[in-house]
Amino acid sequence: MRTGNVVLIRNAVETLGYFSGQIGRELERMGAKLYWIDYDRMYESLDGLSCFANGNETVLITFNFIGIGGEDIFLSGKEEERGERPGVPKSGSTMPGRSKAGRTVFERCGMRCVNILVDHPMYFHKKLLCAPEDMLLFCIDREHVRYVRRFYPGIRTEFLATAGNLPEEEMRAGGAGSGVPEPVPFEQRGYDLVFTANYVSFDELTARLGQQGPEYEAFYRGILDDLTARPGQSVDAVMERHITEELGERPDRERREAMAGMAAIDLCARAFYREAVLNALAEADIRVHVFGADWERMPCREPHNLILNGRQVDSAACVQAVRNAKISLNVMPWFQDGAHDRVFTAMLQGTAALTDASRYLREEFADGEEIVFYPLTRLSELTDQTKRLLSDQDRLSRIAQRGYEKAKIRHTWAARVRETLSHIVF
């Protein structure tokens, strides 16, 4: 597959920089020339960009609009205001500081742009309204793709599942190889069950829902109660249903703006079940090694069963923790038709992935054979499942091995690079 020049970004958001490192490793192996925009050396990075760029033979690959979201340092000059795409309002839609559509340095160099959203598009409403005209957008959930195609129809949008991370030493190997390392033997692993994430307080998040007054709070809490009572629903579908019940039929322009203003509800729903899952395991006397910050703040009746590392950890440390575990727990960030990278990262370490389900994951993996699904609404089943898995090490090892065999073929960043490039003609 032919590759051109590729620009990547690091040291903006740690996790996304780690993803970019995995992507860059595969691109180099394929013969691409890379250029790094380094947030720790921003001006030096930008100085050499124009010499590297070769018009539309060069592609920027970024995540979550980093570099193309209206940051002043990447804007270059004031140009004639761009024509509006279908579905984008002619007024009130531009980013602050970009009212005359100052183009990014990437656009002025003639580069094409690949932008991968790893969160729901409602978080990027304003940025989607003034996105680069030639941007190719990827969403990691098929529902997110449908959301963008409906509410921002001028943007070319495709589905790209996230992928699993490899150990940092594999990244340092650069172009030396593309294989996934062999898992650590099960009998040598130090943890039965790990969870890798930072703690965010449900109570503190829900307190924000009342900031606009009691009427808004009641409306928002009604949506949140609906979501948490039936967690198989997509967050935007539930929001839209409540908007219609409250206000009647509204134009799509108003609906997308309303949903963007309620994105905190999505965070509340995530936090609710993250706390519920960890508490259920702890109260069932199942020890969980938790890697991430602030978990000592979570109310828990059996805190001794949560073995905390006590600090925020980077992606490389998370990979190593999972690599040393028999089971890796995931609580999905409300993706109903996609997956979180924790699932694939677990599999690539030969670790059994224990997660709530999505339609995409059910299509990809056989429950109880390559992965283990648990129901969010019946957490007693989760605790029973976990105890059974830990009591049958042979079965657990077989599940982990089957997941590993599937993931190393289908769910690496190398596989995602090939899929991404298939949408780009150099």
Side-chain angles (χ1 to χ4, degrees):
M1 184 177 292
R2 186 173 172 231
T3 60
N5 295 352
V6 179
V7 177
L8 295 163
I9 298 175
R10 60 186 167 203
N11 292 325
V13 176
E14 189 276 326
T15 52
L16 303 182
Y18 200 88
F19 295 167
S20 294
Q22 306 262 308
I23 289 171
R25 172 178 173 270
E26 177 61 17
L27 285 166
E28 284 188 319
R29 193 191 69 81
M30 297 173 68
K33 296 179 180 177
L34 300 188
Y35 189 90
W36 288 93
I37 298 293
D38 190 338
Y39 263 62
D40 289 344
R41 300 171 55 253
M42 182 65 77
Y43 291 101
E44 297 159 80
S45 299
L46 290 174
D47 281 347
L49 182 63
S50 60
C51 295
F52 175 80
N54 184 22
N56 64 10
E57 290 288 305
T58 304
V59 177
L60 168 70
I61 300 179
T62 189
F63 289 86
N64 285 6
F65 278 96
I66 295 173
I68 57 169
E71 305 101 309
D72 286 343
I73 196 167
F74 292 109
L75 295 181
S76 179
K78 297 290 185 182
E79 308 297 328
E80 294 297 319
E81 191 166 5
R82 271 183 272 185
E84 301 290 344
R85 292 191 304 274
V88 178
K90 291 186 178 180
S91 62
S93 64
T94 52
M95 288 286 292
R98 203 173 178 183
S99 60
K100 292 296 183 182
R103 294 195 300 167
T104 68
V105 294
F106 310 109
E107 292 173 278
R108 287 183 64 84
C109 288
M111 296 182 202
R112 287 173 289 174
C113 171
V114 170
N115 183 22
I116 304 169
L117 295 189
V118 298
D119 294 296
H120 196 291
M122 73 174 69
Y123 290 97
F124 305 98
H125 170 61
K126 291 183 178 179
K127 295 177 182 181
L128 285 163
L129 289 176
C130 59
E133 292 176 351
D134 62 349
M135 180 183 74
L136 170 57
L137 185 72
F138 287 104
C139 295
I140 66 171
D141 186 299
R142 290 181 294 208
E143 288 191 349
H144 299 175
V145 173
R146 291 189 285 272
Y147 183 94
V148 175
R149 288 177 177 174
R150 174 185 171 187
F151 289 114
Y152 309 90
I155 297 176
R156 181 186 170 196
T157 309
E158 305 291 344
F159 172 65
L160 183 76
T162 188
N165 291 326
L166 297 177
E168 197 167 46
E169 56 267 24
E170 286 295 306
M171 293 173 59
R172 291 180 182 145
S178 61
V180 176
E182 287 294 318
V184 175
F186 246 51
E187 62 273 13
Q188 296 178 18
R189 298 185 177 213
Y191 310 131
D192 281 341
L193 176 63
V194 299
F195 182 62
T196 57
N198 294 321
Y199 173 70
V200 181
S201 168
F202 173 74
D203 288 340
E204 290 174 11
L205 286 172
T206 53
R208 301 179 194 175
L209 300 181
Q211 291 178 344
Q212 293 177 269
E215 279 191 35
Y216 280 94
E217 181 176 12
F219 179 62
Y220 294 158
R221 284 188 178 271
I223 298 172
L224 179 59
D225 290 345
D226 192 344
L227 271 175
T228 53
R230 294 181 292 164
Q233 308 173 94
S234 67
V235 64
D236 49 280
V238 175
M239 287 179 176
E240 190 167 4
R241 184 170 66 248
H242 282 256
I243 290 169
T244 301
E245 291 171 356
E246 183 77 13
L247 302 174
E249 293 296 331
R250 310 302 299 174
D252 275 357
R253 174 181 172 180
E254 293 183 20
R255 289 171 182 267
R256 70 184 182 190
E257 289 173 356
M259 287 188 280
M262 297 189 290
I265 295 172
D266 175 63
L267 296 176
C268 292
R270 298 184 192 192
F272 175 85
Y273 271 110
R274 192 175 279 188
E275 287 191 18
V277 166
L278 269 292
N279 269 305
L281 290 165
E283 290 171 17
D285 204 29
I286 298 170
R287 294 165 70 84
V288 186
H289 291 263
V290 183
F291 291 81
D294 296 329
W295 285 98
E296 67 279 0
R297 298 175 55 224
M298 185 186 80
C300 181
R301 285 192 287 270
E302 304 291 343
H304 59 278
N305 285 322
L306 300 181
I307 317 303
L308 311 182
N309 84 313
R311 60 183 175 82
Q312 187 165 334
V313 292
D314 62 16
S315 298
C318 288
V319 172
Q320 289 302 329
V322 172
R323 192 165 173 78
N324 194 31
K326 296 174 182 176
I327 302 174
S328 177
L329 173 69
N330 177 55
V331 184
M332 204 77 74
W334 227 263
F335 299 156
Q336 304 299 332
D337 205 358
H340 193 276
D341 55 274
R342 274 188 295 263
V343 175
F344 303 127
T345 295
M347 291 179 168
L348 290 177
Q349 316 318 311
T351 302
L354 176 62
T355 180
D356 52 320
S358 73
R359 292 190 295 280
Y360 172 75
L361 284 176
R362 287 195 182 278
E363 289 174 14
E364 287 290 306
F365 301 106
D367 186 17
E369 297 293 323
E370 302 161 320
I371 196 170
V372 179
F373 295 126
Y374 66 85
L376 282 176
T377 53
R378 300 187 304 278
L379 292 181
S380 61
E381 291 186 23
L382 165 64
T383 59
D384 290 343
Q385 284 174 301
T386 305
K387 289 177 179 178
R388 286 196 301 270
L389 287 169
L390 291 174
S391 68
D392 189 345
Q393 296 287 303
D394 290 340
R395 176 175 179 247
L396 183 59
S397 178
R398 288 195 299 271
I399 293 171
Q401 183 63 30
R402 292 188 194 108
Y404 169 78
E405 296 296 339
K406 174 73 74 70
K408 74 177 182 179
I409 296 170
R410 294 179 54 85
H411 298 294
T412 62
W413 282 111
R416 300 297 181 255
V417 166
R418 293 190 293 272
E419 190 173 348
T420 301
L421 292 179
S422 71
H423 292 273
I424 303 169
V425 179
F426 284 99

